[in-house]
Amino acid sequence: DDYLWSSGGNTASISVSPTVDTEYYVTVTGINLCQDVDTVEINVLDAPETPEIPVGITNRCSAAATDTFTVSGVTNAVNYIWETDISGFGSISSNDTMAIIQWSADFYGELELYVTVENICGSETSAHLVITSIETPYVNLGDDQTICEGDSLYLEGPENATYTWSNGLDTQGIWVNTSNIYWIEASNNGCSSTDSIEVFTSDPEFSFAEDTIFTDLPYVLHSATGFDTYLWSTNETGESITVNEPGWYSVSMWNEYGCEVSDSVFVDDFTEITLQESFIFSLYPNPASHATQFRASSYPCTVAIYTITGNPIKRLPLESDKQIDLEPFAPGTYLIEVKTQNQTIKKRLVVL
């Protein structure tokens, strides 16, 4: 076979080095003088130009966020490869001339972003875009809280910042002891964050209705409902206790916030107390409306009249039987206490 190339060659194959896109063809003549022609086009591809520096932000405050960066299209570029100089900043994704950085919330410092373009003839890399992430002083005052009346709560901002509190202070931390909403703004080189907390105060209240309770024993002594913890002077831990002996009894109670309230009461036996069975006194009539006759088996004695809650009303030293005028007394139940040198008796008197 005979070969004739458009470039002048007459071999089965030739080497070419065109500087521009060029079409080559070859004519092949067989032994029977039959001919065939074929063509091939050689495209000349230059290495890509150097890409421009990426376009995008150069300063930011550290936070979980997304930023987009772009570069102008480069002639003859087949691939665009986006890269950074460090790890730990988050993640990067790209689509040719655009890259997206998904920042980690806790990253701060400098990062350099650049793009490399390439084809089969070579590659070129852009200048580096320096992005500075400034540390944001994140504030977290926690959940709303309840403190006991008289206690204080310490609220604190992050380190290495400047501070502005809702109460005008500029320290890193403050003590608070009143119900209110408190907020703080912490700043660092133009980057800041805020948070707030609502503080409540709890001041539980409880007191026994009277300082002294005159009653028949045994007696069930109640405190108050709705508390989390109870502790009596008897070391019992229930909401109520059964009193079998006269004396002082106290209870401490704590609510759901750990706030305490306490009170005490004297429980006295309303049942007749006789030190010597020979000493007896009587009231007749009882109940009575206007007057009652007092009579004792021995004198002298002292008669004391109390309200049912133990408040003294009248005191009578007696040497003999006596009619007691009840006109000044309001209707109700009273306690009559009779004492001699070594004897005491208590009885109820009902005034109609």
Side-chain angles (χ1 to χ4, degrees), residues 4 28 54 58 79 166-167 181 194 239 252 259 263 303 315 344:
L4 180 61
V28 181
T58 57
N79 295 317
S166 53
N167 59 5
I181 297 176
T194 62
E239 184 181 305
S252 294
C259 304
D263 197 22
V303 177
R315 183 180 178 87
T344 299

Side-chain angles (χ1 to χ4, degrees), residues 208 213 219-223 232 239-243 249 265 267:
F208 291 104
I213 298 176
Y219 174 74
V220 178
L221 185 59
H222 295 279
S223 56
W232 293 84
E239 184 181 305
S240 60
I241 61 172
T242 299
V243 174
Y249 294 87
V265 64
V267 179

Side-chain angles (χ1 to χ4, degrees), residues 214 270 286-287 305-311 313 329-336 347-352:
F214 290 95
F270 203 53
N286 185 14
I305 304 175
Y306 298 88
T307 66
I308 194 63
T309 58
N311 294 322
I313 296 177
F329 293 84
T333 301
Y334 296 85
L335 177 67
I336 306 297
K347 289 185 179 181
R348 281 178 289 229
L349 170 63
V350 178
V351 177
L352 301 175

Side-chain angles (χ1 to χ4, degrees), residues 105-177:
D106 56 355
F107 171 75
Y108 61 92
E110 285 190 350
L111 175 143
E112 296 183 13
L113 176 68
Y114 53 94
V115 62
T116 298
V117 293
E118 64 178 10
N119 62 22
I120 60 174
C121 299
S123 62
E124 293 291 339
T125 300
S126 71
H128 292 200
L129 176 68
V130 179
I131 307 165
T132 302
S133 288
I134 302 170
E135 183 181 10
T136 300
Y138 291 109
V139 178
N140 182 8
L141 296 179
D143 297 333
D144 295 344
Q145 292 197 43
T146 298
I147 61 175
C148 300
E149 186 72 28
D151 289 349
S152 296
L153 175 67
Y154 187 66
L155 303 177
E156 186 176 26
E159 296 181 351
N160 304 320
T162 58
Y163 314 95
T164 301
W165 289 90
S166 53
N167 59 5
L169 296 179
D170 59 1
T171 54
Q172 182 180 356
I174 62 172
W175 287 97
V176 300
N177 57 15

Side-chain angles (χ1 to χ4, degrees), residues 9 19 65-66 71 81-82 110 116 119 121 137 185 196 198 209 212 224 238 244 309 352:
T19 58
T66 300
V71 69
I81 303 170
W82 291 84
E110 285 190 350
T116 298
N119 62 22
C121 299
E185 180 181 29
S196 64
E198 187 165 7
T212 302
N244 294 299
T309 58
L352 301 175

Side-chain angles (χ1 to χ4, degrees), residues 38-53:
D38 196 15
T39 61
V40 61
E41 184 173 0
I42 304 299
N43 295 319
V44 178
L45 184 65
D46 294 328
E49 298 176 355
T50 300
E52 298 175 354
I53 188 170

